Amino acid sequence: MTKANKDVLFLCQFFYPEHNTSATLPFDTAKYLCDKGLSVSALVGYPKEYAFGSEVKSHEIVNGVEINRIKYLQLNRSGKIGRLINYFSFTIHSFLNLKRIKNNRAVIVYSNPPVLPIVPIIAKKIYGTKIVFVAYDIYPEVAFASHSLSEKGVISRTMRVINHYLYKNADCVIALTEEMKRFLLDTRKELTPDRIITIPNWAHEKEYKCTSEAYERFGYDERHFIVSYFGNMGICQDVETMMKAAECLKNDERIRFLIVGHGSKKNYIHNWIKEKDLKNVQL
């Protein structure tokens, strides 16, 4: 066990400057901890799908947060095979950078990708680094519910083994809701109530006022009732219900739909709009 001289390291696939929720929430948390006087670093994936602008650096300091980015194999995430390859590729490359965790008192690791927690588990065994696990999703159950994985498959068995050691070794588990907390306590027998807390996701409460320029950009005006969806469009999101509603209301001039985000179903939504000629939907 080594003596740590840094406070906390964030280990996650998505981070600044990526603009999806899985990136902005960890980065916001990292900035907050940095503002409170902690030394904060991040070991994250190199941006590809969710970043704007020019190429970013492999290492930089942003708002006091030291960011180290890992290049890994990034295939199309719309298919199960591509997604799994991305998961394991990032996890393997994170393991190859294990020494970056060495001098940190704690590592904050996220549930996406679901095999990633194996890295801090090993770091704790070698370096004594504390583990804070943020459960955005509950694997493998969410994969079973979305029919992404078979309950008897090799990947499922691997996840169960990782879960056993994760919930046994985690110093703190963060659940997003009280329902998630109760589910984890009921199903993860290695987890004790004193090591899990509920911290819901948040949003910045800055008030925005719609301008005439914004209305013009999307072809709306103040008479329209705008149904908005902002967020992930993945396999677990029921975008079909929203699109059926848009289809039913396609001839109602008063109602418009605005959809913003990313995910494996984005092309599916785009094709639906095109095939059904939904002029009332902006994607």
Side-chain angles (χ1 to χ4, degrees):
M1 185 179 298
T2 59
K3 185 176 180 180
N5 54 28
K6 296 181 180 178
D7 291 313
V8 60
L9 178 140
F10 282 74
L11 179 62
C12 49
Q13 187 174 5
F14 303 111
F15 205 71
Y16 174 90
E18 294 166 296
H19 55 270
N20 58 332
T21 305
S22 297
T24 55
L25 287 172
F27 182 55
D28 283 350
T29 307
K31 288 190 296 181
Y32 175 83
L33 294 178
C34 194
D35 290 342
K36 294 300 179 182
L38 298 181
S39 55
V40 181
S41 60
L43 184 60
V44 301
Y46 196 87
K48 181 182 178 182
E49 184 178 358
Y50 298 117
F52 292 127
S54 59
E55 185 175 352
V56 298
K57 299 176 182 177
S58 296
H59 174 269
E60 66 176 330
I61 297 176
V62 180
N63 295 110
V65 181
E66 181 182 355
I67 305 173
N68 292 286
R69 300 185 177 95
I70 303 171
K71 290 191 176 181
Y72 64 103
L73 190 60
Q74 298 187 49
L75 302 182
N76 191 313
R77 298 175 68 250
S78 60
K80 182 171 68 175
I81 300 299
R83 187 181 295 267
L84 286 174
I85 290 174
N86 292 352
Y87 285 168
F88 281 98
S89 177
F90 179 68
T91 301
I92 291 169
H93 282 81
S94 297
F95 176 74
L96 295 176
N97 285 268
L98 190 68
K99 285 189 176 180
R100 293 186 184 273
I101 302 177
K102 181 178 180 180
N103 295 320
N104 291 274
R105 290 168 49 206
V107 56
I108 298 178
V109 62
Y110 291 76
S111 58
N112 186 15
V115 292
L116 184 60
I118 190 66
V119 177
I121 292 170
I122 295 172
K124 182 168 186 175
K125 294 295 183 182
I126 299 175
Y127 308 127
T129 310
K130 292 184 176 180
I131 301 173
V132 178
F133 176 63
V134 183
Y136 278 168
D137 297 293
I138 299 176
Y139 288 101
E141 287 87 349
V142 67
F144 301 156
S146 61
H147 305 291
S148 301
L149 286 178
S150 166
E151 294 190 34
K152 297 180 180 180
V154 174
I155 303 298
S156 300
R157 293 198 297 270
T158 301
M159 287 184 185
R160 289 191 180 100
V161 171
I162 293 174
N163 280 342
H164 169 74
Y165 288 101
L166 170 63
Y167 290 102
K168 181 180 178 181
N169 287 280
D171 296 273
C172 180
V173 173
I174 297 175
L176 300 184
T177 65
E178 285 297 310
E179 291 80 7
M180 178 185 282
K181 178 180 177 179
R182 287 195 296 270
F183 182 86
L184 289 174
L185 287 172
D186 289 341
T187 59
R188 305 318 194 242
K189 300 306 179 184
E190 305 88 351
L191 183 61
T192 54
D194 60 304
R195 291 187 292 121
I196 183 169
I197 61 172
T198 300
I199 304 178
N201 278 342
W202 64 90
H204 296 291
E205 296 182 348
K206 182 178 179 181
E207 183 178 351
Y208 291 92
K209 291 185 178 180
C210 193
T211 63
S212 57
E213 181 183 354
Y215 278 117
E216 286 180 20
R217 178 181 176 185
F218 294 103
Y220 303 145
D221 61 47
E222 295 182 4
R223 297 170 297 174
H224 286 129
F225 180 85
I226 302 171
V227 180
S228 303
Y229 176 86
F230 301 91
N232 192 21
M233 306 174 200
I235 56 176
C236 293
Q237 280 71 48
D238 181 18
V239 299
E240 290 80 4
T241 298
M242 175 174 59
M243 296 310 299
K244 288 176 182 177
E247 188 176 340
C248 289
L249 296 167
K250 64 183 295 185
N251 296 319
D252 192 325
E253 293 293 331
R254 301 167 300 170
I255 302 174
R256 294 290 184 269
F257 288 77
L258 176 63
I259 304 173
V260 180
H262 284 273
S264 58
K265 287 185 178 179
K266 185 171 183 178
N267 286 337
Y268 172 76
I269 295 173
H270 175 78
N271 292 335
W272 192 321
I273 294 172
K274 185 177 180 180
E275 290 174 7
K276 303 296 183 180
D277 192 29
L278 301 182
K279 303 252 185 332
N280 59 334
V281 181
Q282 291 275 1
L283 176 62

